[in-house]
Amino acid sequence: MSNQVERVRTVTIRFAGDSGDGMQLTGTRFTSATAAMGNDLATLPDFPAEIRAPAGSLPGVSGFQLHFADHDILTPGDAPDVLVSMNPAALKVNLGDLEPGATVILNEDAFTPQNLKKARYEADPREDGTLEPFQVVEVPITTMTVGALEKYEDLGKKEKQRAKNMFALGLMSWMYSRPTEPTTEWLADKFSAQPSVAAANIAAFDAGWAFGETTELFGHQYEVAPADLPPGRYRQITGNQAISCGLVAAADRSGLRLFLGGYPITPASDVLHELARYKQFGVQTFQAEDEIAGVGASLGASFAGNLAATVTSGPGIALKAETIGLGVSVELPLLVLNIQRGGPSTGLPTKTEQSDLLQALFGRNGESPVPVIAAATPGDCFHTAIEAARMALTYRTPVLVLSDGYLANGAEPWRIPEMDELPDLRDCVSFATETNHNGEYWPFLRDEGSLARPWAIPGTPGLEHRIGGLEKADGTGNISYDPDNHQHMTEVRQGKVDRIAEDIPPLAVDDPDGDTRLLMLGWGSTYGPIAAAVRQARDEGHAVAQAHLRHLNPFPANLGEILARYDRVLLPEMNTGQLRMLLRARYLMDVRGYNRVSGLPFTTQELVREITNQLAHV
């Protein structure tokens, strides 16, 4: 057996198995160990919507992909270099994503006639040539796990078998020189109330490591050096964690208490879970009985002077629409977080999509404009939340924030900013404390710059006022059915959103050549695949520019001028062309789309091919 360690620059690993095999936990722990090593990384959890799909079935396959490297990376990888397959169904679902030469590690104990039949294999793929293009390593993972736990007599056979994911984790930790201490410490802490379970899982993990160390099935280990990242203190973070931390930071920087009202829905629930952990920072979370109650409570919290937010996914946005419209009417700051998923209706709860853009812009009755912004990466969700808070507080309006399942569940290293690096939002908050019109308080007497109305906390002496869903007379706030007033109020509410265009950064363009003819434009979570594709296309000698939109309503003031510079604009979207339609209508330009709604993010290679195709026709 060789003890040689081969250094490689980048690796993509995918753990795949039954939804009860703990693949998400395995991938998350491998990610944590990798983050501790200082590698740059990106992850793609991919799991079924069913709580417990039939064991061994194709719909029940759960996967977790991790791409890590000694340099800056932008995506969770296209094709896995290593597939760890815990059963035949996992192999069948994932085999088509592998390139020839990839390593396939099989749990040979699972390749029984019964399991092959469940996976709809007519013949054993290990014997019919299906796996010839790959480097296949068969390991009796289940048998060896049970054997390693033989002394734990208080655990039944099924309980011992459940630890096979820890055996696989130990094996891969050995193979890629990951540290063992973080995982053993985590297991001891997680199962501190069940010492025997903790000990068994640690034993299974150690057995996997020892198997890699002693077997002759693997020629050598691999090592990936730490990435040269900008200096600072880093943590591993998902998009949902980042958006939660961003809300807490925005509350601190604004001097307000944070209130979040919501209702559980995949993939947004983790924001509610995460914020519930921050009570020590004055965060108030409310799990309502339904989506409508959640947003209603949040709007009420805003009326009472809090930084208020609500979180959901597309189906919940539909239910919250009337209350968001009420927020537009009463002109109160409210953050509406939409963690998008596949639709329509309840659709594909655990899959990602960008298909709620038009809903965010137009999914309310009447003329009810709201600013819309979108996060680009898991870590960028933090800064997007702060920017949304700034806009909502400054202009007294609901703001829709678009993330999606890819960002929500994906992880990356994130440099923790110092608080003095973040914008001071206290200037955006000014509560009315005295009358403002000839000894009276007019709740809709506006700031001339932002068109924002004053914000008076209920109970402030002399500032008692009434708000509601009916149209209000500008200034006094009295109910008004006057046609001219309704026209005016409609224009004012739109004018507030329009003025934000003067208050956001101009769109930046990455165009090293200055005379590039093709622009790759994107928004939201397509940033990573687009940036990676542009990087590769340039390495191959192609001239291509890149720009990415955060602000989707209003658009940056210079967007039209930028689009006009290029002979061709290519816009990849995980929908059927929603932003493309808006840009064509607004700027009368032939923006070309590259669209897919498969529930998965774009790969780098498919976008590189499309760049090449577009350049051939410029």
Side-chain angles (χ1 to χ4, degrees):
M1 182 185 71
S2 172
N3 291 320
Q4 179 185 359
V5 177
E6 178 183 345
R7 175 160 294 191
V8 292
R9 299 205 62 201
T10 179
V11 176
T12 300
I13 298 174
R14 184 181 297 174
F15 296 94
D18 190 72
S19 58
D21 285 341
M23 294 296 94
Q24 301 306 313
L25 178 64
T26 304
T28 300
R29 291 313 310 161
F30 194 92
T31 299
S32 297
T34 298
M37 292 284 288
N39 300 124
D40 195 14
L41 61 89
T43 69
L44 177 62
D46 185 20
F47 45 91
E50 289 80 2
I51 294 174
R52 188 66 174 93
S57 65
L58 297 176
V61 172
S62 176
F64 189 104
Q65 183 162 307
L66 166 68
H67 181 200
F68 60 104
D70 65 359
H71 56 276
D72 171 47
I73 59 174
L74 297 159
T75 75
D78 287 1
D81 300 301
V82 180
L83 171 65
V84 181
S85 179
M86 302 298 282
N87 62 24
L91 177 66
K92 188 163 192 175
V93 168
N94 292 282
L95 193 61
D97 294 335
L98 302 182
E99 298 288 346
T103 298
V104 179
I105 299 176
L106 300 177
N107 176 15
E108 64 175 286
D109 292 326
F111 280 74
T112 64
Q114 182 181 9
N115 284 342
L116 289 168
K117 183 177 180 180
K118 288 181 181 178
R120 301 176 188 172
Y121 274 118
E122 296 182 0
D124 192 329
R126 300 172 299 170
E127 301 172 355
D128 65 359
T130 299
L131 301 179
E132 284 184 2
F134 312 108
Q135 301 179 49
V136 179
V137 180
E138 295 188 51
V139 181
I141 294 177
T142 305
T143 299
M144 298 195 71
T145 301
V146 174
L149 305 184
E150 185 176 0
K151 68 178 183 179
Y152 296 93
E153 297 178 356
D154 56 330
L155 299 179
K157 184 176 180 181
K158 287 187 177 181
E159 291 176 299
K160 293 176 181 178
Q161 289 176 343
R162 286 197 198 102
K164 63 181 179 290
N165 64 324
M166 288 297 105
F167 184 97
L169 178 60
L171 174 59
M172 297 309 294
S173 297
W174 170 84
M175 189 172 179
Y176 286 96
S177 308
R178 303 293 94 181
T180 59
E181 292 80 5
T183 297
T184 55
E185 292 173 1
W186 179 84
L187 286 169
D189 180 68
K190 178 177 176 63
F191 297 109
S192 58
Q194 301 170 284
S196 63
V197 174
N201 277 278
I202 293 171
F205 176 76
D206 290 341
W209 177 282
F211 178 78
E213 184 77 15
T214 57
T215 186
E216 297 186 7
L217 293 175
F218 301 95
H220 47 252
Q221 291 176 271
Y222 298 92
E223 184 179 272
V224 181
D228 185 17
L229 300 174
R233 186 181 181 192
Y234 284 79
R235 62 161 287 184
Q236 171 192 336
I237 202 165
T238 66
N240 277 348
Q241 291 171 333
I243 209 168
S244 302
C245 291
L247 292 175
V248 176
D252 179 88
R253 299 298 285 171
S254 64
L256 301 175
R257 287 178 61 119
L258 175 63
F259 178 93
L260 180 117
Y263 180 77
I265 182 172
T266 302
S269 299
D270 282 343
V271 176
L272 182 61
H273 302 160
E274 186 74 14
L275 284 174
R277 300 169 54 195
Y278 295 125
K279 293 182 177 67
Q280 71 272 30
F281 296 112
V283 176
Q284 304 170 83
T285 53
F286 170 54
Q287 179 175 318
E289 66 268 28
D290 55 43
E291 296 280 9
I292 299 172
V295 68
S298 295
L299 188 59
S302 176
F303 181 51
N306 294 271
L307 176 61
T310 187
V311 63
T312 187
S313 189
I317 292 291
L319 294 168
K320 295 179 190 292
E322 185 173 2
T323 305
I324 297 171
L326 177 60
V328 173
S329 173
V330 299
E331 300 183 42
L332 285 170
L334 176 67
L335 305 181
V336 182
L337 314 176
N338 181 1
I339 317 301
Q340 299 169 93
R341 71 189 203 185
S345 188
T346 53
L348 304 169
T350 61
K351 307 302 180 182
T352 195
E353 226 166 79
Q354 289 183 302
S355 52
D356 293 348
L357 176 58
L358 296 181
Q359 181 189 38
L361 287 166
F362 309 118
R364 293 165 299 283
N365 61 293
E367 297 286 341
S368 51
V370 298
V372 179
I373 62 175
T377 68
D380 183 54
C381 288
F382 175 87
H383 299 285
T384 302
I386 295 176
E387 169 66 357
R390 184 192 70 82
M391 294 165 62
L393 294 171
T394 300
Y395 294 92
R396 309 282 196 272
T397 179
V399 176
L400 259 155
V401 179
L402 296 178
S403 176
D404 58 43
Y406 172 40
L407 298 183
N409 298 316
E412 66 178 357
W414 176 65
R415 189 183 72 82
I416 303 172
E418 299 295 333
M419 289 303 289
D420 58 9
E421 297 176 27
L422 304 178
D424 187 349
L425 302 182
R426 293 178 187 270
D427 292 341
C428 306
V429 180
S430 56
F431 292 115
T433 57
E434 56 187 25
T435 59
N436 58 5
H437 188 270
N438 298 328
E440 297 180 349
Y441 175 63
W442 281 18
F444 286 85
L445 194 65
R446 304 178 180 282
D447 178 86
E448 292 184 2
S450 65
L451 296 180
R453 76 173 186 88
W455 193 5
I457 297 177
T460 303
L463 305 188
E464 295 83 358
H465 61 287
R466 181 178 64 188
I467 59 174
L470 297 178
E471 184 63 281
K472 288 150 282 292
D474 199 17
T476 67
N478 295 330
I479 294 173
S480 172
Y481 295 104
D482 178 76
D484 291 338
N485 177 75
H486 180 56
Q487 178 76 34
H488 171 71
M489 292 295 280
T490 299
E491 292 171 353
V492 166
R493 290 188 288 260
Q494 180 63 54
K496 283 205 302 181
V497 176
D498 293 340
R499 291 195 181 192
I500 295 175
E502 305 168 8
D503 189 31
I504 59 177
L507 181 63
V509 182
D510 176 16
D511 188 354
D513 298 324
D515 58 354
T516 304
R517 302 175 68 186
L518 174 65
L519 172 67
M520 284 284 283
L521 183 66
W523 69 274
S525 66
T526 57
Y527 171 79
I530 290 174
V534 168
R535 178 186 293 177
Q536 181 174 329
R538 288 174 179 171
D539 289 344
E540 295 174 0
H542 300 297
V544 55
Q546 181 190 356
H548 205 78
L549 287 165
R550 165 176 281 177
H551 296 87
L552 299 167
N553 189 39
F555 291 129
N558 65 333
L559 177 56
E561 179 269 325
I562 286 174
L563 296 179
R565 290 185 204 169
Y566 296 92
D567 294 338
R568 187 163 291 206
V569 177
L570 178 61
L571 174 58
E573 295 182 81
M574 291 188 294
N575 57 45
T576 56
Q578 295 185 13
L579 180 59
R580 177 185 58 179
M581 180 182 71
L582 297 173
L583 295 179
R584 284 180 166 185
R586 175 75 177 270
Y587 299 106
L588 303 180
M589 293 191 60
D590 185 21
V591 176
R592 296 170 182 266
Y594 183 82
N595 304 99
R596 192 175 70 186
V597 282
S598 64
L600 294 171
F602 292 116
T603 66
T604 300
Q605 295 306 317
E606 68 178 307
L607 294 184
V608 170
R609 289 192 293 270
E610 186 61 21
I611 288 172
T612 305
N613 176 59
Q614 293 293 331
L615 287 171
H617 295 87
V618 172

